[in-house]
Amino acid sequence: AFLITFDSRVELLADVTGSAGRLRSALERIRVHGGAPIPQGPFPRIPTGGTHLYDAVFLASEDVLAREAGRKAIILISDGQDQGSRLSRDAAIETAQKTDAIIYGILFVDRRFYGFDSPRYSGESTMKRMAEQTGGRVFKASNENELSMAFRQISEELRSQYSLGYSPTNARRDGSFRKIDLRAKPRGLKVQARRGYYASMDETFSEAQ
């Protein structure tokens, strides 16, 4: 496992390791960094640069998991609300898809902070979007027991996945996104799978472009 913390900055506290001691030590080094000053004027006073969620997903995918082989997953513990990322949500999802990483979200949010039914809050839909596009799903946690239960379910799912392969009719190696629609024949079954993948890019095709 590895550990990344993200608020107004994104930090890799522990690179991929099999040592529980190193991960525990990294957890103890987590610190909350303040965001940018609250802007003045007639507009709503919303702090900026607070949670670089999309940048964290990109870092986990591009700088950590891209060099790893085998089953890969990103577990996000967050309220899902991004503030200040340089990258967009779609760019973060694309990077995870190209790395073959599954995103699982553990939604930990205090709705009183944003205001119930506030249009400012879109974190839950963001977490669901990232999870659904990569073959994962979202769990809600409001206490330690629910958090532990979410991790147990994620662990069980990762141990019981099936890997399917096929040869596409479109043989063009153009780096384009190919959608996947996987369905089970028996009624009442729900398939949990990624929504697509990016074709490999042929160097000759890239030069021709």
Side-chain angles (χ1 to χ4, degrees):
F2 65 98
L3 178 65
I4 288 178
T5 182
F6 55 96
D7 43 32
S8 60
R9 67 182 73 170
V10 180
E11 293 183 82
L12 177 63
L13 295 184
D15 207 341
V16 178
T17 177
S19 169
R22 290 182 181 178
L23 293 169
R24 189 176 298 110
S25 176
L27 283 168
E28 293 173 353
R29 295 199 305 273
I30 290 179
R31 299 291 183 270
V32 178
H33 305 100
I38 298 177
Q40 304 297 318
F43 299 101
R45 293 190 170 192
I46 303 175
T48 59
T51 308
H52 295 186
L53 173 64
Y54 307 150
D55 290 348
V57 172
F58 176 86
L59 174 64
S61 303
E62 181 76 7
D63 291 359
V64 181
L65 293 179
R67 64 177 186 264
E68 298 296 322
R71 189 172 303 161
K72 293 177 275 191
I74 298 172
I75 302 174
L76 291 175
I77 305 176
S78 174
D79 64 1
Q81 195 78 354
D82 182 275
Q83 288 184 347
S85 281
R86 296 182 179 180
L87 296 171
S88 66
R89 182 186 66 182
D90 289 344
I93 292 173
E94 178 180 336
T95 308
Q97 289 172 326
K98 288 181 176 179
T99 314
D100 292 332
I102 303 171
I103 296 177
Y104 284 96
I106 299 180
L107 192 66
F108 206 99
V109 58
D110 181 2
R111 290 303 303 270
R112 293 172 299 179
F113 176 79
Y114 296 100
F116 292 99
D117 300 323
S118 171
R120 282 175 45 202
Y121 178 71
S122 59
E124 184 170 354
S125 62
T126 290
M127 294 276 273
K128 287 182 178 178
R129 172 74 176 175
M130 290 193 290
E132 289 172 356
Q133 290 295 316
T134 57
R137 63 190 181 109
V138 174
F139 301 85
K140 293 184 179 180
S142 58
N143 54 57
E144 186 175 347
N145 289 334
E146 292 178 349
L147 186 63
S148 297
M149 185 179 299
F151 271 102
R152 284 198 299 270
Q153 292 185 34
I154 292 171
S155 179
E156 290 174 3
E157 288 192 9
L158 290 175
R159 287 198 301 266
S160 59
Q161 289 180 338
Y162 291 90
S163 180
L164 303 178
Y166 72 99
S167 297
T169 56
N170 183 356
R172 289 167 60 87
R173 302 181 64 181
D174 55 4
S176 63
F177 183 74
R178 312 284 176 80
K179 292 183 179 181
I180 296 176
D181 184 11
L182 185 61
R183 305 180 187 183
K185 288 185 177 180
R187 293 183 179 181
L189 296 181
K190 182 180 180 181
V191 176
Q192 183 177 314
R194 58 192 300 180
R195 298 297 174 86
Y197 68 97
Y198 284 87
S200 59
M201 175 71 78
D202 192 323
E203 291 184 1
T204 57
F205 182 88
S206 178
E207 291 173 359
Q209 289 289 91

